[in-house]
Amino acid sequence: MATMKIAVAAVAGTPAAAVGTRSAAATETARLCASSAQGLGLSTFVGLRAGSNASRGVTPRVRPLKAENSSVRAASSVETVEKTDVAVVEKSVNTIRFLAIDAVEKANSGHPGLPMGCAPMGHILYDEVMKYNPKNPYWFNRDRFVLSAGHGCMLQYALLHLAGYDSVTTEDLKQFRQWGSKTPGHPENFETPGVEVTTGPLGMGIANAVGLALAESNLAARFNKPDAKIVDHYTYCILGDGCNMEGISNEAASLAGHWGLGKLICLYDDNHISIDGDTDIAFTESVDRRFDALGWHTIWVQNGNDDYDAIRAAIEEAKSVTDKPTMIKVTTTIGYGSPNKANSYAVHGAALGTKEVDATRQNLKWDHEPFFVPEEVKSHWSKHIDLGSKLESDWEAALEAYSKSYPEEAAEFKQLISLELPAGWDTSLPAFTPEDAGDATRNLSQRCLNALARTLPGLIGGSADLASSNMTLMKMFGDYQKSTPGERNVRFGVREQAMGAICNGILLHRSGLIPYCATFFIFTDYLRSAMRISALSEAGVIYVMTHDSIGLGEDGPTHQPIEHLASFRAMPQMLMFRPADGNETSGAYKVAVQNRTRPSTLALSRQKLPNLAGTSIDNVALGGYKLSCNSTDNKPDLIILATGSELEIAAKAADIIRGEGKTVRVVSFVCWELYEEQSAEYKESVLPKAVTARVSIEAGSTFGWERYVGLKGKSIGIDRFGASAPAGTLYKEFGFTVENLLAKAKEVMGA
Amino acid sequence: MATMKIAVAAVAGTPAAAVGTRSAAATETARLCASSAQGLGLSTFVGLRAGSNASRGVTPRVRPLKAENSSVRAASSVETVEKTDVAVVEKSVNTIRFLAIDAVEKANSGHPGLPMGCAPMGHILYDEVMKYNPKNPYWFNRDRFVLSAGHGCMLQYALLHLAGYDSVTTEDLKQFRQWGSKTPGHPENFETPGVEVTTGPLGMGIANAVGLALAESNLAARFNKPDAKIVDHYTYCILGDGCNMEGISNEAASLAGHWGLGKLICLYDDNHISIDGDTDIAFTESVDRRFDALGWHTIWVQNGNDDYDAIRAAIEEAKSVTDKPTMIKVTTTIGYGSPNKANSYAVHGAALGTKEVDATRQNLKWDHEPFFVPEEVKSHWSKHIDLGSKLESDWEAALEAYSKSYPEEAAEFKQLISLELPAGWDTSLPAFTPEDAGDATRNLSQRCLNALARTLPGLIGGSADLASSNMTLMKMFGDYQKSTPGERNVRFGVREQAMGAICNGILLHRSGLIPYCATFFIFTDYLRSAMRISALSEAGVIYVMTHDSIGLGEDGPTHQPIEHLASFRAMPQMLMFRPADGNETSGAYKVAVQNRTRPSTLALSRQKLPNLAGTSIDNVALGGYKLSCNSTDNKPDLIILATGSELEIAAKAADIIRGEGKTVRVVSFVCWELYEEQSAEYKESVLPKAVTARVSIEAGSTFGWERYVGLKGKSIGIDRFGASAPAGTLYKEFGFTVENLLAKAKEVMGA
């Protein structure tokens, strides 16, 4: 048994007492994980390529941080710890490393560098720190983990495998990055139970983690009681240099600091290498001091390669800081263990190659076949099956007790986490007749949100500093803030990209929360990456996008969407709505809420629109439907297709043409994706093939409309950038008028 | 004449000696601006709404910063200054305020709050600090100014008007936000000479400013001589709270700090108000400390409302710090002067209303008609005509002297700033025959870039940490770095959004630099906003986007573009290329370089592609062209349309069908936008209306292909997300095979 001094770095100014103390939660975890008390790992690692200290003794090379570049100072606290079972921890860590090495090698594709460097922190998180039940990856009260540096997914797959998740068997590891496998090239929640969110685009995972932590804090504030903490978990995130360079991570971190998300604990894999080489070529800021400025608690683990106790102590310290999120900078060596490729970009994103794998095996004394897991490692990790089961059953018992003491709250809570919508949730949506006063669809949207807020306890959301323009406040609720985390209006500030990713995190918390978020439609350009991940990761976020066309007027072309409708119609699994009036806005919300695994984008007008005859809430689900038609034989002389604010123009033009003795059908194309899902018969009933005289009108790009108007039809749209002028002027100048529609209609009818 | 003590705040740790010293450049400016020495402004402003100190004396209410929230401490240096002519400065500042108020009022639309608060710093910049020639807005050596908070554009219009720019007359001010005016709702460089870049989307302007400053530093390093500084100007930027919340600004600021852009001086309008109200609801980070961590020099002007000398001293201090960019936090009151709306969101983005305009006139003792400019203000500003003319002629003389001493450098410099491409620039582009070995278009792109680097002295660019994947290094050059600013490979780090906006700034420096930037095509989702501003602001940036389809393989759906080609085809003024081989890659570069006012996006393959018979460099300019056809009468039995990596499949399938006795045409659709610009005759020669048997094949969304295949044609594409597997497997599973194309071809031919 070795007795060692270990150094724990803490931020200058942190009370020394805080370091090494254990919070109640940490103590509980320690109790539950009693069998996992592990020793101080001392690597026998030798032979690092550049600047290695290995030849000088047991301390592996750790890149020294520049003094001027960090506010974090080492070792404000030193504790003496006695530890045992070092050998098992080391074996487990090397198992993780080699599972990653072997899987990448077999696939001849992937990223071995991060798993090799992060295996120690990964081991500690999954074996010693996190609460989860491997046999029920969706157990509500589990700790959440996000690998923001998603390319390192073999780390997570190896951990899920060791922890006993059925989703990642040895066979799955061998199928890494292959067609149909559960182990794709980046972590995908929809493929692999145990993976919480889909990552890969850098910086987005930490924003997801902020969303997960927000969800926990909101539900904890709403449902926990002094004697019953039924919502109580941490969110952990491993992120890399790339994540920290991305603007989205700064946006999310600024919000996390503002919100004081004390149960968010991030581990920054500070390995100083990115694809282009040493991060010094582009990244010399002080990350520590930046996070400090953002209101985070910061800790530096100087040797993340094998100072296990320093990692443990840092996580404990992070837990003890309850009013701030914590960023633990863990300095590691990318590709740790590879004699010739460690600490270089060569190990970041490519297989090591047979020769270097052999050298690494020799270096780390790993004399095993590929994909080998030593018996003592298996045996060590096997406890998590029972442990997880007990964690869940203890929580179930606590929830039952809670249900007796607080039946009303328990009912709402259970309803939420059932992921079912409450009965009658949609009855609150307003319906309209043409006699009702017209309004902008952004205002109608606000009526819907406020109606739904009464019937959907899961509704939570807000705007990127445009609440009064997007009309997104739920008037009966206050702001979600550090001091009022149970409220449901979220103030995202001017941070669109993080807003979207945070909403993905809120939704993928899988607790029945229904996040919506809002900005001007044009600024989907800022959060498009997050919206795409909503679509890919089956996250039914509701995107409330107002000021949907040149109809916004004077703000001009920097603010006027043109190609945006087309760009989202082309995106898989995204429902793109452009409602025309009150009924269609309610209908869009109805479908959006029903679709919990598919995101919806609502493009809403700034300007007032009339309630039209022929719209209905339920028809929106058809995507495209007959608003009006005076032909009796499904052979009208003309079909006019329109969406949103131009449906009014279509209706007016149709009336005039009908007055001239023609038969005209007006079709509202409120959601193309839903229309595409209808039967061929239905589509023929709406757009009969025989009728080729078709005109579309929409205040956006004509791109894509050929699908419905065909080569003989015409599309009125705008295929250039807009201009700064009053909306009425723009509509006239750009041809969105009844007169122009009549002219085009006559052209296609050959009249 | 008043003698006053004024306080200049400086960062703790800044040598006191640095405060108040004048750099050589500042001294020169002072000399040139000798007639503009102005006094300390003391506002007689009274009546601020909330928390006003006005009733207690001359000091207007300035929001106290929270001590824990700022590393900036006040008044580490105090100097005593004697000043005169306070009255004229005050009048000028109030002129700016009321021009903004009146223009917004007349338009009944716009943002008066920022101009009212920023008028003092605006006045000082344009009247006392900046070098420019109002009669030649494009004079090369002018200081650049960016209003990153673009909604406050009336500030800039008022300043351009006072400074004597012909682009903004009184009539233009009266036409603010009207159809066809030179004064649109946000600053637009393509509408208003004197405006350098187009802003509005928040946070992007400061990234543009980083690009402008980079351009200056690069050219200065390349062309200046110890005895001749022909490139020597500052870049100024005013940004707001919203800009500082956006992730893009953090990305850009991190790079600016890394690059040590000492001639970039930003003024942060710290007014504590955004659209949703007090910024405290979402923005409580310490901006100062964050910028400090990013390697900036930071200064705090505590009273930006009327402590003119503090603003002056801060700018002087900023100039004295030559190895770091400077962020001057200027605490102001939004809507300064409005008795009932100042310091509230009500003044941010709406006209004040007649009543409040009157009250503001009374409050600021501005007893004038709308759009009035007092004679003494006119007279005061009139000096800038002669001053500007002298600045330019002095510089021209210096350039002439330089030309004699350094004829070779002068020739290259003059060539660059002529904005003409050098003769024979395109002869370096490689041409290929089918016998040449195939290669990935990303590799062919690298050959083009390296060829062009030899013939285009303006070529400069790089990748967002994917240089070795995007293949974007110019091998004969080193890295643009703080110590080597004359080099031309730019290392952007993992910061896609800033990368695009920085390239816009480099291009709109208008000095002949031709910026390119690169990442994976999927990550256009991160920089789409910047790409759109390229298109809108006529900035011919070249976007090198590799890994252009599911053909990238194992990285999986988070990395596989699907809808991206369609989304850029729908974007106005963007040339979207997807070259198929070596000739088409060279052709795409040829068109991209020629288009200096239109950006180009090149989607390039990761995987190897053969050089095809029938491709040519010059045909790319046609957008779509016949690759091969065995019909003699423009009536082939079948037309196959394809782009990029699928053109090979199209060619193979065509050969097989021809072998069966049919006539088949293969059309390469390398750039839809260019095809659309061709004559009707040309289009008929490529896609004859009579031939409706058409099939398209492209490894991307089918969205939009109906335009060319019609309702009777078929499109092979992928309208779902991709998957993680080897590229060959994906191509097979998703139907990108000769067999599938043959099957579809037979369907459309009715065979």
Side-chain angles (χ1 to χ4, degrees):
Chain A
M1 185 182 294
T3 303
M4 297 283 299
K5 285 195 175 182
I6 62 153
V8 179
V11 173
T14 301
V19 179
T21 61
R22 294 176 88 90
S23 69
T27 310
E28 185 203 342
T29 304
R31 183 183 58 78
L32 287 164
C33 301
S35 65
S36 71
Q38 295 307 336
L40 171 67
L42 283 176
S43 171
T44 54
F45 172 80
V46 291
L48 269 180
R49 209 169 55 95
S52 172
N53 294 319
S55 58
R56 273 170 269 152
V58 295
T59 315
R61 181 255 183 193
V62 174
R63 177 179 52 83
L65 282 199
K66 289 177 195 145
E68 73 277 14
N69 215 12
S70 173
S71 63
V72 177
R73 296 291 167 263
S76 72
S77 163
V78 172
E79 54 177 335
T80 304
V81 188
E82 293 183 40
K83 294 283 180 184
T84 54
D85 287 347
V86 175
V88 174
V89 175
E90 270 198 9
K91 272 199 182 151
S92 169
V93 167
N94 279 335
T95 301
I96 296 162
R97 289 190 177 120
F98 280 96
L99 287 177
I101 290 170
D102 295 337
V104 172
E105 204 62 23
K106 184 164 191 302
N108 195 25
S109 173
H111 300 75
L114 183 141
M116 293 166 76
C118 289
M121 65 180 104
H123 168 88
I124 289 170
L125 282 174
Y126 269 80
D127 187 48
E128 302 177 17
V129 172
M130 281 170 53
K131 293 184 300 177
Y132 57 86
N133 180 5
K135 296 305 173 199
N136 179 9
Y138 302 115
W139 168 47
F140 169 77
N141 208 36
R142 69 194 180 279
D143 286 334
R144 268 59 168 184
F145 174 78
V146 175
L147 184 65
S148 188
H151 52 274
C153 56
M154 263 314 304
L155 173 72
Q156 195 170 5
Y157 298 148
L159 292 166
L160 293 173
H161 175 66
L162 292 178
Y165 284 79
D166 297 328
S167 47
V168 188
T169 63
T170 304
E171 193 48 39
D172 293 314
L173 293 174
K174 291 179 179 171
Q175 288 299 305
F176 179 55
R177 296 189 152 218
Q178 303 308 304
W179 178 258
S181 83
K182 291 286 167 203
T183 47
H186 287 81
E188 295 170 357
N189 59 297
F190 53 94
E191 291 287 0
T192 318
V195 170
E196 304 288 354
V197 297
T198 295
T199 54
L202 292 177
M204 205 176 290
I206 181 174
N208 298 152
V210 171
L212 291 166
L214 182 153
E216 196 267 354
S217 78
N218 178 258
L219 295 171
R222 289 165 65 182
F223 294 104
N224 285 353
K225 302 291 177 184
D227 62 342
K229 278 195 167 182
I230 55 164
V231 183
D232 182 22
H233 71 77
Y234 287 88
T235 299
Y236 297 94
C237 175
I238 293 179
L239 72 163
D241 289 306
C243 295
N244 269 331
M245 289 191 239
E246 292 283 6
I248 184 176
S249 67
N250 192 72
E251 293 179 0
S254 181
L255 281 169
H258 173 73
W259 289 328
L261 294 172
K263 293 168 89 174
L264 173 62
I265 299 176
C266 296
L267 296 98
Y268 162 33
D269 175 30
D270 171 47
N271 66 32
H272 219 238
I273 295 291
S274 65
I275 292 175
D276 278 0
D278 195 293
T279 53
D280 270 350
I281 66 173
F283 188 49
T284 50
E285 65 176 60
S286 167
V287 176
D288 316 293
R289 284 193 285 141
R290 175 159 62 84
F291 274 86
D292 185 57
L294 297 176
W296 288 53
H297 182 66
T298 54
I299 308 175
W300 180 24
V301 173
Q302 292 175 275
N303 171 6
N305 290 338
D306 53 15
D307 193 348
Y308 302 112
D309 280 352
I311 297 171
R312 291 176 182 123
I315 294 171
E316 279 183 28
E317 178 182 326
K319 286 184 172 181
S320 75
V321 177
T322 58
D323 62 342
K324 289 179 172 186
T326 295
M327 179 64 64
I328 306 172
K329 181 168 78 172
V330 187
T331 299
T332 69
T333 302
I334 191 171
Y336 181 97
S338 161
N340 304 297
K341 293 189 171 180
N343 198 32
S344 85
Y345 73 91
V347 79
H348 168 87
L352 294 178
T354 314
K355 201 174 149 191
E356 187 65 11
V357 171
D358 288 346
T360 307
R361 280 192 147 72
Q362 203 167 4
N363 188 37
L364 293 181
K365 305 195 192 319
W366 194 255
D367 188 21
H368 302 297
E369 289 298 294
F371 299 102
F372 180 77
V373 180
E375 275 311 315
E376 59 265 54
V377 172
K378 275 187 194 163
S379 156
H380 175 83
W381 280 84
S382 66
K383 67 177 180 288
H384 288 286
I385 308 289
D386 288 348
L387 184 61
S389 171
K390 178 159 171 26
L391 285 166
E392 179 162 357
S393 60
D394 286 355
W395 179 80
E396 289 287 357
L399 181 58
E400 270 320 292
Y402 178 91
S403 301
K404 283 177 186 138
S405 306
Y406 310 101
E408 205 173 311
E409 291 92 330
E412 183 168 301
F413 179 72
K414 288 178 179 174
Q415 166 73 57
L416 271 175
I417 70 169
S418 75
L419 307 185
E420 301 288 331
L421 298 170
W425 67 272
D426 57 341
T427 55
S428 62
L429 285 168
F432 300 84
T433 70
E435 287 69 42
D436 290 317
D439 206 346
T441 48
R442 62 172 169 154
N443 291 332
L444 296 158
S445 162
Q446 185 172 45
R447 286 186 59 178
C448 291
L449 285 170
N450 278 270
L452 292 170
R454 287 193 297 274
T455 52
L456 287 175
L459 199 65
I460 182 169
S463 157
D465 195 49
L466 286 167
S468 57
S469 287
N470 301 145
M471 311 305 289
T472 44
L473 282 181
M474 294 180 283
K475 293 174 183 173
M476 67 289 279
F477 299 123
D479 286 355
Y480 172 85
Q481 294 286 358
K482 188 173 184 172
S483 58
T484 53
E487 297 289 349
R488 286 156 58 184
N489 286 305
V490 184
R491 304 290 196 162
F492 291 101
V494 192
R495 304 181 183 93
E496 295 83 6
Q497 199 180 3
M499 173 173 74
I502 288 170
C503 285
N504 285 337
I506 294 172
L507 194 135
L508 294 173
H509 192 257
R510 299 178 61 89
S511 50
L513 293 178
I514 302 176
Y516 67 91
C517 65
T519 182
F520 290 160
F521 191 33
I522 189 85
F523 297 133
T524 52
D525 286 346
Y526 273 50
L527 74 155
R528 191 172 172 87
S529 53
M531 296 173 78
R532 188 177 205 262
I533 294 291
S534 299
L536 175 62
S537 65
E538 301 180 357
V541 174
I542 301 173
Y543 291 96
V544 181
M545 296 293 149
T546 72
H547 297 61
D548 72 340
S549 77
I550 54 164
L552 65 85
E554 291 90 343
D555 273 346
T558 55
H559 283 55
Q560 291 163 353
I562 299 291
E563 69 279 20
H564 298 72
L565 291 166
S567 79
F568 286 107
R569 287 171 183 153
M571 183 183 280
Q573 288 175 215
M574 172 63 78
L575 296 174
M576 177 71 247
F577 295 92
R578 191 164 184 256
D581 68 356
N583 287 332
E584 286 200 352
T585 304
S586 290
Y589 271 102
K590 186 171 176 181
V591 179
V593 171
Q594 283 167 334
N595 276 271
R596 295 295 74 234
T597 58
R598 204 157 47 155
S600 294
T601 300
L602 280 66
L604 301 163
S605 77
R606 178 190 185 219
Q607 70 273 31
K608 189 185 282 196
L609 306 175
N611 284 298
L612 299 172
T615 60
S616 88
I617 294 178
D618 289 334
N619 277 346
V620 171
L622 298 168
Y625 66 92
K626 285 179 272 187
L627 183 83
S628 64
C629 188
N630 65 333
S631 109
T632 50
D633 57 355
N634 202 26
K635 279 191 189 165
D637 299 320
L638 174 71
I639 301 176
I640 306 177
L641 307 88
T643 74
S645 41
E646 289 69 67
L647 195 60
E648 175 192 5
I649 299 174
K652 283 182 178 165
D655 282 344
I656 292 170
I657 302 169
R658 286 169 192 149
E660 294 165 0
K662 301 280 189 183
T663 54
V664 183
R665 175 174 300 174
V666 177
V667 178
S668 172
F669 258 83
V670 58
C671 179
W672 292 23
E673 297 80 10
L674 294 173
Y675 178 78
E676 289 298 323
E677 293 170 7
Q678 306 308 313
S679 67
E681 294 69 26
Y682 178 76
K683 288 184 188 170
E684 178 66 19
S685 79
V686 175
L687 290 186
K689 284 195 181 67
V691 181
T692 58
R694 304 178 185 183
V695 185
S696 71
I697 181 166
E698 181 176 72
S701 168
T702 61
F703 194 85
W705 273 104
E706 290 89 350
R707 173 170 297 180
Y708 300 124
V709 302
L711 295 184
K712 292 180 179 166
K714 287 202 181 290
S715 290
I716 298 173
I718 173 167
D719 292 312
R720 50 156 281 181
F721 289 111
S724 175
T729 305
L730 295 176
Y731 261 61
K732 196 166 161 241
E733 294 286 346
F734 290 122
F736 297 102
T737 60
V738 172
E739 295 68 35
N740 190 34
L741 179 51
L742 291 174
K744 292 289 184 299
K746 281 173 186 167
E747 285 179 41
V748 298
M749 288 191 293
Chain B
M1 184 181 297
T3 303
M4 298 283 298
K5 285 194 176 181
I6 61 153
V8 179
V11 173
T14 301
V19 179
T21 61
R22 294 176 87 90
S23 68
T27 311
E28 185 204 343
T29 305
R31 183 184 57 76
L32 288 164
C33 301
S35 64
S36 70
Q38 294 308 333
L40 171 66
L42 282 177
S43 171
T44 54
F45 171 81
V46 292
L48 270 182
R49 208 170 55 97
S52 171
N53 294 320
S55 57
R56 275 171 268 153
V58 294
T59 315
R61 181 256 185 191
V62 175
R63 177 179 54 80
L65 281 201
K66 291 177 194 147
E68 73 277 14
N69 214 13
S70 174
S71 63
V72 177
R73 297 289 168 265
S76 72
S77 164
V78 173
E79 58 176 333
T80 304
V81 187
E82 293 184 38
K83 295 286 179 181
T84 55
D85 287 347
V86 175
V88 174
V89 175
E90 271 200 7
K91 272 197 180 152
S92 169
V93 167
N94 279 334
T95 302
I96 296 162
R97 290 190 175 119
F98 280 97
L99 288 177
I101 291 169
D102 295 338
V104 172
E105 204 64 21
K106 185 165 191 298
N108 193 26
S109 173
H111 300 75
L114 182 143
M116 294 165 75
C118 290
M121 64 180 106
H123 168 89
I124 288 170
L125 282 174
Y126 269 81
D127 188 48
E128 302 177 17
V129 172
M130 280 169 54
K131 293 183 301 178
Y132 56 86
N133 180 6
K135 296 306 174 199
N136 179 10
Y138 302 114
W139 167 48
F140 169 79
N141 208 36
R142 69 195 180 278
D143 287 333
R144 266 62 168 183
F145 173 79
V146 175
L147 184 63
S148 189
H151 52 274
C153 57
M154 265 311 305
L155 174 73
Q156 194 170 6
Y157 298 148
L159 291 165
L160 292 174
H161 176 67
L162 293 177
Y165 284 79
D166 297 328
S167 46
V168 187
T169 64
T170 304
E171 192 48 40
D172 293 315
L173 293 174
K174 291 179 179 171
Q175 288 299 305
F176 179 54
R177 295 188 152 221
Q178 303 309 304
W179 178 257
S181 83
K182 290 284 166 206
T183 47
H186 288 81
E188 294 169 358
N189 59 296
F190 53 95
E191 291 286 1
T192 318
V195 171
E196 305 288 354
V197 296
T198 294
T199 54
L202 293 177
M204 206 176 292
I206 181 174
N208 299 150
V210 172
L212 291 165
L214 182 154
E216 196 267 353
S217 77
N218 178 257
L219 295 170
R222 289 166 63 180
F223 294 104
N224 284 354
K225 302 289 177 184
D227 63 341
K229 279 195 167 183
I230 56 166
V231 183
D232 183 20
H233 71 77
Y234 287 88
T235 299
Y236 296 94
C237 175
I238 292 180
L239 72 163
D241 289 304
C243 295
N244 268 331
M245 288 190 241
E246 292 283 7
I248 184 176
S249 67
N250 192 73
E251 292 179 359
S254 180
L255 281 170
H258 172 75
W259 289 328
L261 294 172
K263 293 169 90 173
L264 172 62
I265 299 177
C266 296
L267 296 96
Y268 163 32
D269 176 30
D270 170 47
N271 67 32
H272 220 237
I273 295 292
S274 65
I275 292 175
D276 278 0
D278 195 294
T279 52
D280 270 349
I281 66 172
F283 188 49
T284 50
E285 65 176 60
S286 167
V287 175
D288 315 294
R289 283 194 286 142
R290 175 159 61 86
F291 274 87
D292 185 55
L294 297 177
W296 287 54
H297 182 67
T298 55
I299 308 174
W300 181 23
V301 173
Q302 292 175 274
N303 171 6
N305 289 338
D306 53 14
D307 193 347
Y308 302 112
D309 279 353
I311 298 171
R312 291 176 182 123
I315 295 171
E316 280 184 28
E317 178 182 327
K319 286 184 171 181
S320 76
V321 177
T322 57
D323 62 342
K324 289 179 172 186
T326 294
M327 179 63 65
I328 306 172
K329 182 168 77 172
V330 187
T331 299
T332 69
T333 303
I334 191 170
Y336 181 96
S338 162
N340 304 298
K341 294 190 172 179
N343 198 31
S344 84
Y345 73 91
V347 78
H348 169 87
L352 294 177
T354 314
K355 203 173 147 190
E356 187 65 12
V357 171
D358 288 348
T360 307
R361 282 192 146 71
Q362 204 167 3
N363 187 37
L364 293 180
K365 305 195 192 319
W366 195 257
D367 188 21
H368 302 297
E369 290 298 294
F371 299 101
F372 180 78
V373 180
E375 276 310 316
E376 58 267 54
V377 172
K378 277 187 192 163
S379 156
H380 175 82
W381 280 84
S382 66
K383 66 177 180 289
H384 288 286
I385 308 289
D386 288 348
L387 185 59
S389 170
K390 179 160 171 24
L391 284 167
E392 178 161 358
S393 60
D394 286 354
W395 178 81
E396 289 285 359
L399 181 59
E400 270 320 292
Y402 177 91
S403 303
K404 282 175 187 137
S405 304
Y406 310 100
E408 203 172 313
E409 292 91 331
E412 183 169 300
F413 179 72
K414 288 178 178 175
Q415 167 72 56
L416 271 175
I417 69 171
S418 75
L419 307 185
E420 302 287 332
L421 297 170
W425 67 271
D426 57 342
T427 54
S428 62
L429 284 168
F432 299 83
T433 69
E435 287 68 43
D436 289 316
D439 207 347
T441 49
R442 62 173 169 154
N443 291 333
L444 296 159
S445 162
Q446 186 173 43
R447 286 186 58 177
C448 290
L449 284 170
N450 277 272
L452 292 170
R454 288 193 296 273
T455 52
L456 288 175
L459 199 65
I460 182 170
S463 158
D465 195 48
L466 287 167
S468 57
S469 286
N470 301 145
M471 310 305 290
T472 46
L473 282 182
M474 294 181 283
K475 294 174 184 174
M476 67 289 280
F477 299 124
D479 286 355
Y480 173 87
Q481 293 286 358
K482 188 173 185 173
S483 58
T484 53
E487 297 290 348
R488 285 155 62 184
N489 286 305
V490 185
R491 304 288 195 164
F492 290 101
V494 193
R495 305 181 182 92
E496 295 83 5
Q497 199 180 3
M499 173 173 75
I502 288 169
C503 285
N504 285 336
I506 293 172
L507 193 135
L508 294 172
H509 192 256
R510 299 177 62 87
S511 50
L513 293 179
I514 302 177
Y516 66 91
C517 65
T519 183
F520 290 160
F521 191 32
I522 190 84
F523 298 132
T524 53
D525 285 347
Y526 273 49
L527 75 156
R528 191 171 171 88
S529 53
M531 295 172 79
R532 189 177 205 262
I533 294 292
S534 298
L536 175 62
S537 65
E538 300 180 358
V541 175
I542 301 173
Y543 291 96
V544 180
M545 297 293 151
T546 71
H547 296 61
D548 72 339
S549 76
I550 53 165
L552 65 85
E554 292 90 343
D555 272 347
T558 55
H559 283 55
Q560 290 164 352
I562 299 290
E563 69 278 21
H564 299 73
L565 290 166
S567 78
F568 286 106
R569 286 171 183 153
M571 183 182 280
Q573 287 175 214
M574 173 63 77
L575 296 175
M576 176 72 247
F577 294 92
R578 190 164 185 258
D581 68 356
N583 286 331
E584 287 198 354
T585 304
S586 289
Y589 271 102
K590 185 171 176 182
V591 179
V593 170
Q594 282 167 335
N595 275 271
R596 295 295 75 234
T597 59
R598 202 158 46 154
S600 295
T601 300
L602 280 65
L604 301 165
S605 76
R606 176 189 186 220
Q607 70 273 33
K608 189 185 281 196
L609 305 175
N611 284 297
L612 298 171
T615 60
S616 89
I617 295 179
D618 288 336
N619 276 347
V620 171
L622 298 167
Y625 67 92
K626 286 179 273 189
L627 182 83
S628 64
C629 188
N630 64 334
S631 109
T632 50
D633 56 357
N634 202 28
K635 277 189 190 165
D637 300 319
L638 173 72
I639 302 177
I640 306 176
L641 305 88
T643 74
S645 41
E646 289 68 66
L647 195 60
E648 175 192 4
I649 299 174
K652 283 183 181 166
D655 283 343
I656 292 171
I657 302 168
R658 285 169 193 150
E660 294 166 359
K662 301 280 188 181
T663 55
V664 184
R665 175 174 299 173
V666 177
V667 178
S668 172
F669 258 84
V670 59
C671 179
W672 292 23
E673 297 79 11
L674 294 173
Y675 178 78
E676 289 298 323
E677 291 170 9
Q678 306 309 313
S679 68
E681 293 70 26
Y682 177 76
K683 289 184 189 171
E684 177 65 19
S685 78
V686 175
L687 290 185
K689 284 196 182 66
V691 181
T692 58
R694 303 180 186 183
V695 186
S696 70
I697 181 165
E698 181 176 72
S701 169
T702 61
F703 195 86
W705 272 105
E706 290 89 349
R707 174 169 296 179
Y708 300 125
V709 301
L711 296 184
K712 294 182 179 163
K714 289 206 178 288
S715 290
I716 298 173
I718 173 167
D719 292 313
R720 50 157 281 182
F721 289 110
S724 173
T729 305
L730 295 175
Y731 261 61
K732 195 168 161 237
E733 294 286 347
F734 291 123
F736 296 102
T737 61
V738 172
E739 294 69 33
N740 189 34
L741 179 51
L742 291 175
K744 292 289 184 299
K746 281 172 185 169
E747 285 178 41
V748 299
M749 287 191 294

